[in-house]
């Protein structure tokens, strides 16, 4: 039995029931066998066992009071997965589905994504099963304060630097940071990223994941001689990542014809991104309302990936496992020739197999959505220097980082003679090798 197979069997036994975590581990490990063939000594060094075990998991009670005076109790988490490359870094997710399996998968992915940015950051993820939907600003603030009352002991600009993820944006980061500052009686701005500009935020952070995704797509298209102008695009999600992916795609002359949220999706040949921004960023309401504001839009319930229409590009930007094998086959039938992940693990492992078998271009999230965390690291740099770069400066750096991630993929394809569409193996090998090198060099065991 190979080293990888043995470790996969062991983790399946040990972490039974953590289906998302097992999925992420299996996806990564199965694609990096070339590294372990070249380095048989890694088995004795326990490299894989060390990679898949979080360095530390913090779980805590978050009790807070709602607007009716009712005490509520949620569960809070921080998974500090791997700090070999720098302070733990990764978002906080507030969503009722949050559990340890989901945060461990997100933390695990984050480690290799952060390695690909080439910036000095380790990987972490955290959050709560708190549901921000329908809560007043006061309730959100009280929850964030209760969450920080425990988390503040475990984070710091050189220790662990959380940011946003699903359900956590500038509003939540503001409440979290405000309370951290009071608890510590110190303004360590670099302790959280995704802050508002007024108190240490970075220009472009809001747009960074979506823009970065499109910068990666531009690189892929250039390398494979594909003209993007006029291409038809569907995007799942209509949150932070989806909105700025759509904005950049439109700016590049592509035709965004569909977007979705957790309830349904809109199809519109002349999609109005300003209306989507207004509905999601300002009113925090359902996409359903789009059709009452835009006469040419259509709204349907369910998943956008179950709908039949012609498109060449799909940008999954909502959540994990949105696309299973059946949906992947439908996408191919609809003419999709490029899938780039803005979300973390939106495609199941079977869906990824379908893309690879069809030899379409597929950008895995840990490469294509790294622009968000990369810009967070740029925010940390600005905080350390106590100065702010202009929009153009940050955007320029973001473009360079995404180009560099694409180049790392090409280098791995070259070194290991991978097919020119196999960004999955290429990104995993590049990310994993860096973390292994750092761990071994520092003599950890
Ligand atoms: P947001 O909370 O801003 O938006 C999430 C979007 O996904 C919303 O439109 C939401 O719908 C929709 N959604 C949630 N659950 C489902 C579901 N089960 N089916 C379909 N749609 C769903 O989150 P972000 O945009 O920040 O994050 C989206 C993805 O991108 C996540 O996977 C996240 O981990 C990843 N990511 C985020 C980064 C960031 O910087 N924010 C960086 C890198 C990756 P509704 O409005 O109805 O709730
Ligand atoms: O999944 C991700 O990369 C994020 N949610 C962003 C993390 C960060 O620290 O900016």
């Amino acid at each position: 039995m190979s080293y990888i197979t043995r470790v996969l069997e062991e983790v399946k036994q040990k972490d039974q029931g953590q289906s998302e975590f097992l999925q992420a581990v299996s996806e990564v490990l199965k694609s990096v066998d070339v590294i372990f063939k070249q380095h048989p000594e890694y088995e004795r060094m326990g490299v894989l066992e060390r990679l898949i075990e979080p360095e530390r998991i913090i779980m805590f009670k978050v009790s807070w009071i709602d607007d009716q005076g009712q005490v509520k109790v949620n569960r809070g988490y921080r998974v500090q997965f791997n700090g070999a490359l720098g302070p733990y870094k990764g978002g906080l997710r507030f969503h009722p589905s949050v559990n340890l399996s989901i945060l461990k998968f997100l933390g695990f992915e984050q480690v290799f994504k952060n390695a690909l940015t080439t910036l000095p950051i380790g990987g972490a993820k955290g959050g709560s099963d708190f549901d921000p939907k329908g809560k007043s600003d006061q309730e959100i603030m009280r929850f964030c304060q209760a969450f920080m009352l425990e988390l503040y002991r475990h984070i710091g600009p050189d220790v662990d630097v959380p940011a946003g993820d699903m359900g956590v944006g500038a509003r939540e980061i503001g409440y979290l940071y405000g309370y951290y500052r009071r608890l510590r009686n110190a303004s360590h701005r670099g302790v959280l990223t995704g802050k508002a500009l007024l108190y240490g935020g970075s220009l472009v952070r809001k747009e960074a994941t979506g823009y970065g995704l499109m910068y990666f797509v531009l690189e892929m298209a250039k390398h494979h001689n594909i003209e993007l102008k006029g291409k038809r695009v569907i995007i799942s999600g209509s949150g932070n990542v989806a909105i700025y992916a759509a904005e950049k795609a439109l700016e590049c002359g592509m035709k965004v014809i569909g977007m979705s949220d957790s309830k349904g999706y809109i199809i519109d040949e002349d999609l109005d991104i300003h209306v989507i921004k207004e509905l999601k960023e300002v009113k925090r309401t359902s996409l359903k309302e789009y059709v009452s504001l835009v006469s040419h839009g259509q709204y349907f319930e369910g998943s956008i990936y179950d709908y039949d229409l012609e498109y060449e590009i799909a940008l999954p930007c909502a959540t994990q496992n949105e696309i299973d094998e059946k949906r992947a086959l439908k996408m191919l039938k609809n003419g999709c020739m490029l899938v780039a992940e803005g979300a973390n693990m939106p495609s199941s492992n079977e869906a990824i197999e379908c893309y690879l078998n069809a030899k379409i271009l597929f950008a895995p999230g840990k490469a294509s959505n790294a622009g968000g965390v990369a810009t967070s690291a740029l925010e940390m740099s600005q905080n350390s220097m106590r100065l702010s770069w202009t929009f153009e400066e940050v955007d320029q750096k973001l473009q360079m980082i995404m180009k560099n991630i694409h180049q790392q993929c090409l280098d791995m394809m070259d070194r290991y003679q991978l097919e020119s569409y196999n960004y999955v193996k290429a990104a995993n090998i590049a990310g994993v090798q860096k973390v292994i090198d750092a761990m071994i060099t520092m003599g950890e065991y």
Side-chain angles (χ1 to χ4, degrees):
M1 191 189 288
S2 76
Y3 178 33
I4 289 178
T5 310
R6 175 172 66 76
V7 171
L8 275 175
E9 287 304 317
E10 284 167 8
V11 68
K12 270 184 208 152
Q13 287 300 317
K14 218 181 197 174
D15 292 328
Q16 276 175 43
Q18 297 187 354
S19 60
E20 292 86 359
F21 178 58
L22 293 175
Q23 179 183 337
V25 170
S26 159
E27 192 268 332
V28 172
L29 265 48
K30 283 183 179 161
S31 64
V32 296
D33 53 338
V34 285
I35 298 183
F36 291 85
K37 280 195 184 119
Q38 282 190 355
H39 293 281
E41 75 279 13
Y42 283 175
E43 182 163 6
R44 178 183 50 79
M45 298 166 105
V47 163
L48 278 179
E49 291 87 336
R50 284 151 64 184
L51 273 182
I52 61 171
E53 194 65 28
E55 290 178 6
R56 193 172 298 100
I57 297 178
I58 300 140
M59 275 179 72
F60 48 95
K61 176 176 81 175
V62 186
S63 83
W64 57 283
I65 299 178
D66 74 9
D67 286 346
Q68 283 69 49
Q70 175 68 50
V71 173
K72 301 273 188 183
V73 176
N74 286 99
R75 211 167 265 180
Y77 305 82
R78 187 71 179 163
V79 179
Q80 297 177 334
F81 215 107
N82 188 304
L85 294 177
Y88 303 112
K89 181 84 196 87
L92 296 172
R93 178 177 290 191
F94 292 170
H95 193 272
S97 65
V98 161
N99 58 34
L100 198 53
S101 169
I102 289 179
L103 294 180
K104 277 178 68 182
F105 115 64
L106 288 165
F108 183 72
E109 287 282 298
Q110 196 82 46
V111 174
F112 309 113
K113 180 197 306 192
N114 293 5
L116 287 171
T117 67
T118 68
L119 300 167
I121 40 179
K125 206 82 188 189
S128 173
D129 59 359
F130 171 74
D131 186 359
K133 281 225 174 81
K135 302 289 191 298
S136 68
D137 279 356
Q138 294 288 312
E139 288 176 320
I140 298 281
M141 183 183 74
R142 286 196 294 273
F143 175 80
C144 287
Q145 293 181 337
F147 186 85
M148 187 52 86
L149 190 56
E150 177 62 32
L151 188 69
Y152 87 99
R153 303 165 208 283
H154 309 289
I155 61 175
D158 297 315
V159 180
D160 183 354
V161 183
D165 192 77
M166 284 170 72
V168 178
R171 173 182 62 169
E172 291 73 21
I173 294 292
Y175 295 144
L176 290 163
Y177 179 71
Y179 211 58
Y180 177 88
R181 197 180 65 77
R182 288 168 64 193
L183 288 165
R184 285 267 190 234
N185 188 29
S187 181
H188 299 300
R189 291 182 163 183
V191 70
L192 287 168
T193 60
K195 301 180 291 293
L197 297 176
L198 270 174
Y199 56 93
S202 172
L203 287 161
V204 195
R205 177 61 190 89
K206 184 175 68 176
E207 296 85 356
T209 314
Y211 279 20
L213 174 67
M214 286 310 303
Y215 294 148
F216 194 88
V217 169
L218 291 173
E219 285 303 302
M220 276 175 117
K222 194 166 88 187
H223 183 69
H224 292 271
N225 289 319
I226 294 170
E227 171 64 80
L228 288 176
K229 236 183 211 143
K231 288 277 186 297
R232 293 159 65 83
V233 185
I234 63 159
I235 301 180
S236 56
S238 47
N240 175 261
V241 179
I243 285 176
Y244 292 94
E247 187 174 275
K248 191 51 89 179
L250 290 165
E251 208 182 293
C252 296
M254 298 156 78
K255 211 167 148 51
V256 180
I257 52 170
M259 289 184 78
S260 70
D261 68 8
S262 57
K263 300 275 162 10
Y265 54 98
I266 47 157
I267 300 295
D268 185 351
E269 290 284 327
D270 194 13
L271 183 131
D272 190 336
I273 191 66
H274 304 292
V275 173
I276 306 233
K277 274 192 185 177
E278 176 71 17
L279 292 176
K280 288 296 177 183
E281 293 187 334
V282 183
K283 289 172 133 180
R284 297 178 191 274
T285 184
S286 163
L287 263 193
K288 204 176 185 167
E289 291 187 25
Y290 183 88
V291 286
S292 60
L293 299 166
V294 182
S295 60
H296 37 80
Q298 284 178 284
Y299 176 82
F300 304 94
E301 288 193 345
S303 166
I304 193 166
Y305 298 110
D306 290 333
Y307 189 75
D308 271 320
L309 86 164
E310 278 180 27
Y311 54 87
E312 290 88 30
I313 296 176
L315 306 176
C317 296
T319 190
Q320 65 274 359
N321 288 328
E322 305 168 57
I323 305 171
D324 58 10
E325 186 178 7
K326 197 167 145 225
R327 288 179 178 161
L329 291 171
K330 191 184 252 305
M331 287 159 72
L332 295 172
K333 209 170 117 241
N334 285 335
C336 186
M337 41 91 92
L338 191 158
V339 180
E341 296 184 332
N344 287 305
M345 206 169 79
S347 311
S348 73
N349 290 348
E350 295 72 26
I352 295 175
E353 275 304 311
C354 291
Y355 309 145
L356 292 175
N357 288 337
K359 302 187 178 169
I360 63 164
L361 291 181
F362 168 60
K366 67 171 76 61
S368 52
N369 74 35
V373 72
T375 308
S376 277
L378 299 177
E379 183 173 331
M380 290 163 71
S381 304
Q382 293 167 80
N383 293 155
S384 296
M385 293 190 289
R386 296 173 193 264
L387 54 77
S388 304
W389 292 322
T390 63
F391 192 96
E392 289 67 31
E393 280 175 292
V394 183
D395 193 37
Q396 199 63 41
K397 290 184 202 301
L398 171 62
Q399 290 185 37
M400 290 306 296
I401 291 166
M402 299 313 296
K403 269 189 188 170
N404 177 273
I405 296 176
H406 185 262
Q407 186 58 47
Q408 290 177 61
C409 292
L410 297 188
D411 292 347
M412 291 304 125
M413 287 172 186
D414 195 34
R415 183 176 312 167
Y416 294 102
Q417 306 196 332
L418 306 173
E419 306 88 343
S420 65
Y421 56 86
N422 205 334
Y423 287 84
V424 176
K425 274 196 172 181
N428 282 336
I429 294 170
V432 167
Q433 187 69 64
K434 261 181 224 194
V435 182
I436 293 177
D437 288 347
M439 288 191 335
I440 291 177
T441 314
M442 288 190 289
E444 280 180 33
Y445 57 86

